[in-house]
Amino acid sequence: MIIKSLAEYYERLAAQGKVPAFGLTQEKIGYSILLDHDGKVRDIVNLSDPTEKKSKWLMLTVPASFKRSGTAPPPFFLWDKSAFVLGVEQKKDSDVPSVNARSHGAFKALHLERLANATDAGLVALRKFVEEWVPEQWQQCEALVKHGSVIFSANIVFRLDGEQQYIHERAAAQELIKRYSATDDSPLGLCLVSGETQPIARLHPAIKGVWGAQSAGASIVSFNLDAFDSYGKDRGANAPVSVHAAFAYTTVLNYLLMRDPRHRQCVQIGDASVVFWAEAKDQQQQDVAENLFFSALEPPPSDSAEASKLLQALDAVAAGRAMHYLNVDLDPATKIFVLGLSPNASRLSVRYWFTEGLGKFAQRLAQHYGDLAIEPLPWKTPPAAWRLLASIAAQEKTENVQPVLAGSLMRSVLSGERYPRTLLSAAIMRMRADHDISGLRVALCKAVLTRDQRLDDKNHHQEVSVSLDRNVTTPGYLLGRLFAVLESIQEAALHSVNASIKDRYYGSASAMPAGVFPLLMRGAQNHLSKALKDPKSKGLAVSLEKEAQQIIEGLSSELPKTLRLEDQGRFAIGYYHQRNERFRSKADKNETRNKLDETLETI
C-alpha cells in the first residue's frame, strides 16, 4: 500500500515535470568541468549559490545513480564524484588529496565503451577528456587547483565551452541514457505494485534525506544476507517490485525528503522524518491542502493572527465549511497521505503510515488542540508536536526526545487514538525532577486524561476541567490545589525564600500525600500566623486561609497514602489552576475564555 501510493504520486508529479523521468535522478552537484571540443579543460565552475553560505551544491537532474558497494564499485554515467571523474579524492583521515586510479579507471572504461561511436560534439569532447586525463598530474591543472581540496568531495558534471546546457542534457546523451536504462537483463516476474509481469529490480535505488540515516542512502526494501532468502529467491526477488516501480517510489521519496525552505512536504518530529502529500480534484486544492497540513505540523507563525487563522482553517475543514479567507472551497474529502520514516542502520523503519480524508485529519488535529486546552493558556501560538516533546525531554532539548515517544505521539494525533501512557509518565517525571510545573507539561497531562476519559466508557471520573473548577472533588486535583495554596501562604509570610515547598516537597507530595501533607499543614499554620500579623499581607492571608479551608472540606478525613499516575496528573493540573488563578485579572480570564471558545466551538 505504501509503495503503491508513492508510485502513483510519482506518476502525477512526473506528468507535471516536477520529478525526473525514468532513468534520471536529482543529485547534489558541486562543480562543472568546462571542456573545449578537443576535450581539454578550459575551466572548472563552482555551481554553488554565492548568496547561500551553507550551500555547497546545486540540485541537477542527471542519469540515475544506484547503490555502490565492494572494493571496486561501478561508476555513474556522464557524472560522478571526483574520485571517479578525476581520479582524486579527499579522505577523511588525510589532509592531502590522494589519487584513486582504480575508480577513475572504471569511469574511463565505462565511457570509452559507451561513447565509442558517439558523433555529438559534447560526447566526443567527453570521450577525449577521459582518454587523455592523467590523475597523477592533477596538480598541473590550474583550473582544478584554484578550488582547493573542497572539490575532491563533490559531484561533478561536464559542459561544452560556449553552450549553456550540460553534456548529459544534450539530445544525443539523453538517447544513450534511455538505451542503457533498459532492463533487458533483469528477470521477469509479477510486480507486487502494478500486478503486471515486468522486469524485477534486484536492488532498489537508495533513499536519501532521512535524518540520521546513512548519507549514501538507505532502503525500505532490502535483502543483503543469505538468511533472508527463501525458496531459492535472493535479493529483490524475495519481494518482487518492477524496476520502474522501484525507481518511481524511491524517486518521489527523495523528492519529498528534500530539505529546502521552499519545500513544504517534510517535517522532522523526533527521529522521524515525516513526509506527506495530497490527492485532490485539482492542483490548487492539492497545494492548499498540503500547505495547511504543513502549517499544522510545523511550528506555527509567531504572528498570533496567523496562528488563529490556522485554527480557524482546521475547524472549517473539520466542519465541512468553505474557507473563504483562503479563497478556495477546500473539499474535506481531499485525501492526505502521511508517512513517518526513521533511521535503522542501512535500512529505514516505517514509524507510521496514515491515509484519510483531509476533513478527518483536520478534525483530529483540532481535537488534539482541544484536548491540550487549559487556562491560563501557556502559549501565544498553538504548540507543534516537537515543542510538546521538547518540554518533557531532558534539558528541554529536541535531541533528547525519546524516538519511540515521538512516534507514538504523532500516531495518536493523526489517528485520534489514546495518547501513549509514557507521555503522561514522562511529563510527571520531568516535573518531579526539576520542579518546573510548566503550562506545556500540565497541558500534556490534561490532554492524556481528557482523551482517555472520552474514549473509555467505563471511566466515571469527573471531567478534567479546562480552568479552575472549585466543584471538582477528585482527591488528586484537590491536593494539587491545596499544595498551591500552602505554597502561596509560605510566600505571603516569608516574601522571599531560597527553596519553597514546591522545590522541596512537590515530588513526594504528588506521589505520597499522606506522608507529606501533615508536615506541610503544620508549617502552613506557622506561616499563616506570621502573615496575619503583617498589615501588608493580612488580606491575602485571610483569602488563602478561606481557600485552604474550602479545599480541605472536600477531602476525606484520611489522606491517600499514594496517588496513581492519573491522579498525579490531576495533582499537577490542580496545582497549575490554583497557582495561576490569583495572578490573573478578570479581563485576562475573559480573554482566555474567548480564545478557547473560538478554538473549540466546532470540535
Side-chain angles (χ1 to χ4, degrees), residues 391-393 402 405 421-431 441 565:
S391 72
I392 56 174
Q402 299 176 18
L405 182 58
R421 181 62 40 172
T422 49
L423 190 67
L424 177 61
S425 60
I428 290 173
M429 290 303 296
R430 292 312 308 166
M431 287 187 287
R441 294 173 176 178
L565 188 66

Side-chain angles (χ1 to χ4, degrees), residues 169-450:
E169 295 175 337
R170 300 171 70 88
Q174 293 294 310
E175 288 297 322
L176 285 177
I177 293 170
K178 291 180 182 178
R179 181 193 307 173
Y180 290 108
S181 295
T183 56
D184 295 338
D185 58 339
S186 299
L188 294 177
L190 183 65
C191 175
L192 296 177
V193 177
S194 66
E196 301 174 355
T197 301
Q198 295 177 327
I200 299 301
R202 186 168 180 268
L203 296 175
H204 294 199
I207 299 168
K208 302 178 181 179
V210 174
W211 180 85
Q214 294 181 350
S215 58
S219 301
I220 292 180
V221 179
S222 175
F223 303 85
N224 64 340
L225 295 175
D226 294 341
F228 303 148
D229 299 341
S230 60
Y231 297 98
K233 300 180 183 294
D234 66 343
R235 301 298 175 102
N238 285 281
V241 175
S242 69
V243 173
H244 187 275
F247 172 84
Y249 91 81
T250 54
T251 298
V252 80
L253 260 183
N254 286 328
Y255 168 80
L256 290 168
L257 287 163
M258 282 194 304
R259 302 306 171 112
D260 188 319
R262 295 163 294 184
H263 192 69
R264 298 170 61 86
Q265 289 181 264
C266 179
V267 296
Q268 190 67 39
I269 301 175
D271 74 331
S273 298
V274 183
V275 297
F276 54 89
W277 64 97
E279 182 180 334
K281 295 178 180 177
D282 53 52
Q283 188 61 43
Q284 182 190 20
Q285 287 198 1
Q286 177 180 317
D287 292 341
V288 172
E290 289 171 352
N291 286 334
L292 175 65
F293 202 77
F294 176 85
S295 300
L297 295 184
E298 269 286 277
S302 57
D303 185 357
S304 59
E306 288 298 315
S308 175
K309 187 175 179 179
L310 168 62
L311 287 178
Q312 292 175 31
L314 291 173
D315 291 345
V317 177
R321 301 196 307 269
M323 295 185 294
H324 302 293
Y325 43 85
L326 292 182
N327 299 318
V328 62
D329 184 6
L330 190 58
D331 184 4
T334 295
K335 206 169 184 180
I336 291 287
F337 302 82
V338 185
L339 175 63
L341 297 173
S342 296
N344 183 14
S346 61
R347 292 179 175 82
L348 299 177
S349 299
V350 176
R351 281 280 185 207
Y352 37 82
W353 162 250
F354 293 104
T355 171
E356 208 157 3
L358 178 61
K360 182 63 71 173
F361 273 130
Q363 186 178 27
R364 290 170 182 169
L365 287 168
Q367 185 64 71
H368 167 64
Y369 290 129
D371 289 339
L372 287 170
I374 192 168
E375 288 189 16
L377 282 177
W379 52 74
K380 291 183 179 180
T381 56
W386 68 268
R387 186 176 166 196
L388 293 171
L389 291 165
S391 72
I392 56 174
Q395 300 177 335
E396 298 194 22
K397 294 182 178 180
T398 53
E399 56 264 33
N400 294 330
V401 172
Q402 299 176 18
V404 175
L405 182 58
S408 299
L409 173 61
M410 281 308 301
R411 191 178 296 109
S412 299
V413 172
L414 296 174
S415 67
E417 298 174 354
R418 298 175 189 271
Y419 292 108
R421 181 62 40 172
T422 49
L423 190 67
L424 177 61
S425 60
I428 290 173
M429 290 303 296
R430 292 312 308 166
M431 287 187 287
R432 294 183 63 179
D434 58 22
H435 312 115
D436 181 10
I437 323 301
S438 70
L440 282 177
R441 294 173 176 178
V442 176
L444 281 173
C445 294
K446 188 256 180 185
V448 173
L449 296 174
T450 299

Side-chain angles (χ1 to χ4, degrees), residues 493-548:
L494 304 180
H495 302 296
S496 178
V497 291
N498 293 328
S500 67
I501 63 170
K502 181 190 73 171
D503 300 323
R504 299 179 61 183
Y505 296 108
Y506 180 85
S508 54
S510 62
M512 299 173 290
V516 178
F517 270 91
L519 173 65
L520 297 178
M521 292 295 293
R522 288 193 295 271
Q525 288 296 330
N526 296 329
H527 293 147
L528 194 59
S529 299
K530 184 175 180 179
L532 290 172
K533 296 175 183 178
D534 187 349
K536 293 182 179 179
S537 59
K538 183 177 180 179
L540 176 60
V542 172
S543 175
L544 291 172
E545 184 180 19
K546 290 180 180 179
E547 191 78 47

Side-chain angles (χ1 to χ4, degrees), residues 18 28 92 127 279 405 463:
K18 293 183 177 181
K28 300 174 181 179
K92 294 182 179 180
R127 184 182 66 210
E279 182 180 334
L405 182 58
E463 180 181 354

Side-chain angles (χ1 to χ4, degrees), residues 108-130:
K108 181 177 181 178
L110 174 73
H111 286 78
L112 289 180
E113 176 189 352
R114 294 188 177 183
L115 305 181
N117 300 318
T119 57
D120 176 80
L123 295 178
V124 170
L126 177 56
R127 184 182 66 210
K128 291 181 178 179
F129 166 79
V130 297

